[in-house]
Amino acid sequence: MSRLRHVVRAEQLVDPVLLDELFNSASTLERDDKARKLELPLRGRILATMFYEPSTRTRFSFEAAMQKLGGGVLTAENALDNSSASKGETIADTVRVVSGYADAIVLRHPQVGAAEAAAQASPVPIINAGDGAGEHPTQALIDVYTIRKELGRLEGLNIALVGDLKNGRTIHSLLPFLRHAPGISLTLISPPQLRLPGKYVRMLQEADTRFAETTRLARVQPADVVYVTRVQRERFASEAEYDAVKDSYRIDLHVADSLKARSIILHALPRTTEISPEVDQDARAAYFRQARNGLYVRMALLKYLMS
């Protein structure tokens, strides 16, 4: 596999050799960070984080990752209103300008395909940090790393995907990894209005991935991994449509206790009502460990792309 220049789609990251390189690097960086022995391979390099939609974990983890590796950060939060985009500048022109100041750009944008357009215009690496309801490839990388770290494998697992499967870009990005995992079985749990889009269903069918679609939360019980998604309020045309489905599912202690002792519950966060806070103390609740893993996976990716 040739070395990546940009990261805009999850499919670019599924190569097993690349995954092993990134995951081994992330593990080493975590160990060295805890031992206060981090090297600074990106000293003198600059990362620009351009966020046209709100973010806490993704933006902070990329910026913390860059600084831990010795580099500097330029950041544009709420760039839709607080950048030249408010004057009508195209994303292509923006990245051409910003690439003159930074050695790589992390981009979040509400339009599907914005990261691809940015990559075509940019002379420096573009990392897709979420493009509308499209993809969020680095989150999927973190999810796979977390599953392997927690359970020791990705192969042969029963994985339940719960919630907004229509708009959840974390789910859309995770599926390319899951369809390549031998022996995987998926349970897709959502309201009828939020079912997985047809193109992703066809992706699973073409890969002969076993999956079942249902509206019943009780179907999580046999799962090794329960991946919960927030109903994406910002993707609905009206408040009434959102209100009709926002509380469709809730993982509480009763649901958590119905799971296998060694199963894990994941969520890319932020959450609203879909996971009760009382579940946080359950050993199966891995979502805060998942968020912490994001720092080291993104450190590994920045080191790969920029050093």
Side-chain angles (χ1 to χ4, degrees), residues 173-184:
S173 297
L174 184 58
L175 289 175
F177 290 92
L178 298 183
R179 72 169 181 158
H180 288 292
I184 207 85

Side-chain angles (χ1 to χ4, degrees), residues 54 85 91 113 126 156 162 184 197 199 213 247-248 251 258-259 265:
I91 192 67
I126 295 290
V162 181
I184 207 85
K199 70 175 183 178
E213 296 182 278
D247 297 320
S248 298
I251 307 295
S258 74
L259 303 175
I265 302 169

Side-chain angles (χ1 to χ4, degrees), residues 40-305:
L40 304 176
L42 300 186
R43 187 193 299 273
R45 311 299 292 279
I46 294 176
L47 177 72
T49 57
M50 298 172 52
F51 280 71
Y52 293 76
E53 285 189 321
S55 172
T56 301
R57 278 149 297 277
T58 302
R59 185 168 67 89
F60 278 12
S61 62
F62 265 117
E63 293 177 4
M66 188 63 180
Q67 292 183 58
K68 281 181 175 289
L69 293 170
V73 174
L74 300 173
T75 185
E77 185 183 14
N78 194 22
L80 199 59
D81 297 322
N82 297 331
S83 76
S84 292
S86 64
K87 304 174 185 177
E89 184 173 58
T90 66
I91 192 67
D93 281 359
T94 299
V95 300
R96 287 189 185 102
V97 171
V98 175
S99 66
Y101 313 140
D103 300 291
I105 298 171
V106 176
L107 176 68
R108 172 168 291 185
H109 199 280
Q111 294 180 350
V112 175
E116 187 74 53
Q120 292 176 5
S122 178
V124 302
I126 295 290
I127 302 173
N128 182 4
D131 60 337
E135 291 203 34
H136 194 350
T138 67
Q139 181 61 54
L141 198 62
I142 294 161
D143 299 339
V144 174
Y145 179 78
T146 300
I147 294 170
R148 284 178 42 165
K149 187 176 181 181
E150 295 275 336
L151 300 179
R153 71 190 197 283
L154 192 62
E155 301 79 11
L157 295 177
N158 185 326
I159 299 178
L161 306 176
V162 181
D164 189 347
L165 308 188
K166 176 182 178 181
N167 300 301
R169 60 192 174 201
T170 59
I171 297 298
H172 302 165
S173 297
L174 184 58
L175 289 175
F177 290 92
L178 298 183
R179 72 169 181 158
H180 288 292
I184 207 85
S185 177
L186 302 178
T187 305
L188 311 177
I189 304 173
S190 70
Q193 308 95 307
L194 301 179
R195 290 178 60 182
L196 190 69
K199 70 175 183 178
Y200 298 105
V201 171
R202 290 190 291 274
M203 174 197 297
L204 297 176
Q205 291 171 335
E206 290 167 2
D208 291 326
T209 303
R210 289 183 297 166
F211 71 95
E213 296 182 278
T214 180
T215 61
R216 298 176 55 235
L217 184 59
R219 293 285 297 276
V220 301
Q221 291 181 358
D224 301 293
V225 179
V226 179
Y227 196 115
V228 187
T229 66
R230 173 179 65 89
V231 176
Q232 306 281 303
R233 182 176 191 166
E234 62 273 26
R235 311 295 176 206
F236 284 78
S238 72
E239 198 71 18
E241 291 180 27
Y242 169 72
D243 288 341
V245 294
K246 66 178 182 180
D247 297 320
S248 298
Y249 305 113
R250 183 173 175 85
I251 307 295
D252 56 19
L253 277 180
H254 174 73
V255 175
D257 287 342
S258 74
L259 303 175
K260 295 184 287 189
R262 286 186 54 79
S263 62
I264 58 172
I265 302 169
L266 300 181
H267 192 306
L269 302 175
R271 65 177 163 187
T272 51
T273 62
E274 61 275 4
I275 300 179
S276 171
E278 64 186 2
V279 176
D280 296 353
Q281 304 308 313
D282 192 293
R284 288 164 285 211
Y287 33 88
F288 290 115
R289 299 193 294 274
Q290 177 187 3
R292 179 65 175 171
N293 289 338
L295 172 64
Y296 300 110
V297 171
R298 288 178 170 130
M299 286 176 70
L301 185 61
L302 290 176
K303 184 179 177 182
Y304 169 87
L305 290 171

Side-chain angles (χ1 to χ4, degrees), residues 1-4 11-19 304:
M1 181 178 179
S2 59
R3 195 165 186 86
L4 292 181
E11 192 67 42
Q12 296 175 273
L13 299 167
V14 299
D15 179 74
V17 175
L18 175 61
L19 284 181
Y304 169 87

